[in-house]
Amino acid sequence: MPRAMWIEPDIVDMTAASNMLDRKGTRPATDINAVILHQIADDRGSEPMQYKNTRAHFVVTKTGIIIQLHPVETMLWASNAFNKVGVAVEFAGHFATEKGVWWKGNKAHNIPTNVQIEAGRELVLFLYMKHGIKNVYAHRQGYLPEGGYQSGAVNQRSNCPGPDIWYGVGEWAKSNLSLGDGGKGYKLGNGTAIPDSWRTQRVPTF
Ligand SMILES: [Zn+2]
C-alpha cells in the first residue's frame, strides 16, 4: 500500500491514565514483530476510562473506538509466550467459540460489530505501517502457564480472540498485508493452534 494513501487512524491516548503497575519494563521498538489478538470476554461500553486497567497496549470497542493504554515499547504480561515481541490488542466483548459456546454464563453474549472489525483492521494497518510488524497471532497460540511451560497444562485462553475476530482481523491482515501467523499447526508452549474453522468466514459476515 503506498504510504501517501494511508491516513493514520484516530487513537484515544490513555497512556497517562492506564495502570502503571502493568508495565514490566521496556523493549526496543525493533524487537516488536507481531500483533496479538485478544478478546476481553466482557463489554465495558464505549467510555475509554472504563478500560484503563485492561492489560493490553490497545483496546478496540464495539463502537469502533481505538484506545491506546501503553506505549508499544512497554513490556506487558498480556500475551503469554508472545510478550517479548507482541503488541497486545484487546477487543471489547464476550465472544463465542466456533461451536457457539460463550465462556462465561453470567456475561452478556456479544458478537463483534462491523465497525469494531473495521477499526481492528485500521489498527493492524497502523502497526504494520509504523512499526513494521510481520506477524499476527491469536493469544491462544502462545499460552504459557504461570511459571513457564508445564507438560499437560490446559490452555485457559483457547477462545482468545475467538473465530470472528480472528477471521475478520487476523485472516484479513494475512490476505491484505501478507502478515504471517506461523502457519498451520503453529503454537508455542501449551498454546493451541488456530483451527481450520477460524480461517473461513462465518455468520455474521465481515
Ligand atoms: Zn487473550
Side-chain angles (χ1 to χ4, degrees):
M1 180 170 298
R3 193 169 282 265
M5 295 184 60
W6 175 62
I7 299 165
E8 287 197 29
D10 289 330
I11 297 177
V12 179
D13 183 359
M14 290 270 294
T15 55
S18 59
N19 186 354
M20 300 295 160
L21 295 176
D22 282 340
R23 299 185 182 182
K24 307 297 182 188
T26 57
R27 60 207 172 162
T30 49
D31 282 6
I32 299 164
N33 70 25
V35 58
I36 318 302
L37 305 182
H38 298 259
Q39 67 156 306
I40 294 181
D42 194 11
D43 178 21
R44 303 193 194 110
S46 296
E47 169 51 51
M49 280 302 277
Q50 293 297 317
Y51 297 93
K52 66 185 170 69
N53 290 319
T54 301
R55 193 183 298 161
H57 296 92
F58 294 91
V59 168
V60 181
T61 72
K62 287 178 68 196
T63 49
I65 298 168
I66 302 171
I67 303 162
Q68 182 165 16
L69 293 166
H70 301 282
V72 293
E73 294 83 1
T74 305
M75 276 282 288
L76 300 174
W77 293 348
S79 306
N80 298 101
F82 296 121
N83 283 343
K84 280 191 183 143
V85 299
V87 175
V89 175
E90 286 273 6
F91 288 82
H94 180 215
F95 306 127
T97 68
E98 65 274 23
K99 296 189 174 98
V101 177
W102 276 265
W103 181 39
K104 297 177 179 176
N106 61 337
K107 299 283 185 190
H109 293 180
N110 304 124
I111 53 172
T113 63
N114 283 294
V115 290
Q116 185 176 31
I117 294 292
E118 205 53 55
R121 292 173 179 176
E122 284 181 22
L123 176 56
V124 173
L125 175 60
F126 168 78
L127 294 168
Y128 169 82
M129 297 296 278
K130 197 139 186 179
H131 299 289
I133 58 156
K134 302 213 163 20
N135 301 291
V136 57
Y137 298 121
H139 182 191
R140 70 178 262 150
Q141 288 176 280
Y143 183 69
L144 289 171
E146 202 110 357
Y149 177 77
Q150 295 164 21
S151 177
V154 176
N155 185 351
Q156 302 292 322
R157 295 289 180 267
S158 63
N159 195 42
C160 196
D164 295 325
I165 295 290
W166 179 258
Y167 181 77
V169 180
E171 292 294 323
W172 175 88
K174 288 167 57 189
S175 301
N176 291 276
L177 306 177
S178 298
L179 300 192
D181 68 357
K184 192 174 167 68
Y186 179 73
K187 65 185 181 70
L188 292 175
N190 297 97
T192 314
I194 294 167
D196 289 342
S197 61
W198 284 26
R199 300 187 187 282
T200 51
Q201 195 161 33
R202 294 159 22 101
V203 176
T205 56
F206 299 115

